[in-house]
Amino acid sequence: MPALEPSEAGGYRTRVTSVAQEPPGEAVAVPGGSLWTLSRGSGPPMVLAHGGPGLSNNLEPVAGMVDDVARVHLYDQRGCGRSRASGPFDIATLVADLEALRTHWRHERWVVGGHSWGAALALFYALAHPDRTLGVIYLAGTAIRWGWKDGVQRERLSRLTAAERQELTALGARLESNGDERDRARFLRLMWSTDFASRAAATVLDSEPLYGYPRAEAVARAVQSDWKARLDAGIDDDLRRLTVPVLVVHGRRDPDPTGAREVADLAPRGRWVPLDNAGHSPWLERPAEMRQVLRAFLGSLS
């Protein structure tokens, strides 16, 4: 099967509604394109970046946990979902997009957060613009070393049945040659089911789609390449110099349960918060705990 990098485990579902039911958004111009955004709530500003790369916003439930105490901005990254933009598709440009959004909304400083790949993007923004960052929410982020740790792939496969493992191998082989979109969707459905703390929790994927819009494969490949280069170059020293608060929230049953721990350990004001009985999207499995942790963090910034 094709090797899966950490990014392919991120940001796996958005509640899909009809066009008539979609909440009204705002298109914000950025160099080379326009980003779909959705803003809600009132209070200190924060932005949430979805996972992927190449996927689309799925963080409305997270916003709903804090939008009575914060002004929360959601968006689709360039070239993804409802956003339209040409390249380049790299970290510097995606960070610049976030800065363009901050300027557009006239926030002097804001909290930057994200899930999985989006957590990495939020961190890269804070490293580039610490003076514009009130705090960082690193939600189920991947490690700051590229590639999975020993045992992560084994743990994922152990959460599948023997028949599913066989199917996954066959799908991977087809995708390396000429697999179609249905093969890709089924491959990702199987892999994403292993992100949950239990198979019972993973059944949510049977009633809701994996994500609201097709994955932008070219965007994903380009961002992954730059992401790997950035991590291979090392960000340890940059993290040691980051003085803003960094909240690292991670499920103990995430397939990589401790990879993100290093972010909290290196950042001078980092805090590691593992959640029991939660996987890669803890807001789905432990919403009460998630809400409490987020609100406490935001309260500590005021």
Side-chain angles (χ1 to χ4, degrees):
M1 75 180 66
L4 288 179
E5 296 296 352
S7 57
E8 296 218 24
Y12 44 79
R13 75 194 255 284
T14 295
R15 185 182 303 274
V16 171
T17 59
S18 70
V19 172
Q21 293 173 317
E22 273 195 337
E26 177 189 11
V28 178
V30 295
S34 175
L35 303 183
W36 174 87
T37 70
L38 180 65
S39 302
R40 52 193 287 186
S42 60
M46 67 181 293
V47 64
L48 295 174
H50 62 76
L55 297 178
S56 53
N57 171 60
N58 65 338
L59 298 176
E60 286 96 337
V62 180
M65 294 176 176
V66 296
D67 62 4
D68 61 327
V69 295
R71 177 67 170 168
V72 187
H73 302 290
L74 305 169
Y75 76 112
D76 287 344
Q77 293 156 31
R78 69 167 47 216
C80 302
R82 290 148 288 195
S83 292
R84 298 290 176 264
S86 59
F89 298 109
D90 55 27
I91 290 169
T93 305
L94 294 173
V95 165
D97 285 347
L98 276 170
E99 181 63 359
L101 292 177
R102 183 197 63 79
T103 301
H104 170 76
W105 288 312
R106 299 181 181 179
H107 299 313
E108 182 178 352
R109 301 174 71 198
W110 61 351
V111 177
V112 288
H115 170 245
S116 195
W117 144 251
L121 177 55
L123 185 62
F124 284 130
Y125 175 90
L127 294 175
H129 300 284
D131 57 327
R132 299 301 186 186
T133 305
L134 287 170
V136 177
I137 297 173
Y138 197 84
L139 174 56
T142 55
I144 61 172
R145 320 290 167 190
W146 187 257
W148 282 340
K149 290 182 177 179
D150 293 342
V152 174
Q153 180 83 331
R154 185 166 58 251
E155 173 62 26
R156 283 188 174 280
L157 294 177
S158 75
R159 299 182 185 188
L160 299 173
T161 66
E164 287 170 334
R165 290 194 291 272
Q166 278 189 315
E167 182 185 6
L168 193 72
T169 300
L171 287 167
R174 289 207 296 272
L175 288 171
E176 285 191 336
S177 55
N178 58 355
D180 59 21
E181 189 56 39
R182 286 180 301 176
D183 288 337
R184 185 177 302 281
R186 178 58 180 165
F187 183 89
L188 293 177
R189 168 64 177 82
L190 287 171
M191 289 303 298
W192 283 331
S193 69
T194 69
D195 281 338
F196 287 83
S198 68
R199 288 307 293 264
T203 58
V204 67
L205 298 177
D206 295 327
S207 59
E208 295 191 15
L210 301 177
Y211 43 86
Y213 294 85
R215 180 181 173 128
E217 295 296 334
V219 173
R221 287 192 297 271
V223 174
Q224 285 170 348
S225 177
D226 192 49
W227 187 10
K228 180 179 186 302
R230 289 288 296 271
L231 294 187
D232 286 348
I235 64 170
D236 302 52
D237 290 341
D238 295 329
L239 269 172
R240 291 188 183 101
R241 291 189 291 267
L242 184 64
T243 59
V244 303
V246 179
L247 174 69
V248 181
V249 184
H250 213 77
R252 291 189 189 273
R253 288 283 292 158
D254 190 290
D256 184 359
T258 61
R261 177 68 184 263
E262 200 168 8
V263 173
D265 291 343
L266 288 171
R269 300 175 67 185
R271 181 185 173 205
W272 170 251
V273 181
L275 298 181
D276 293 332
N277 301 313
H280 195 61
S281 288
W283 72 87
L284 296 176
E285 296 176 274
R286 310 302 296 178
E289 291 88 338
M290 213 16 231
R291 182 177 185 273
Q292 182 179 15
V293 168
L294 292 178
R295 294 172 75 86
F297 178 71
L298 292 174
S300 72
L301 302 178
S302 58

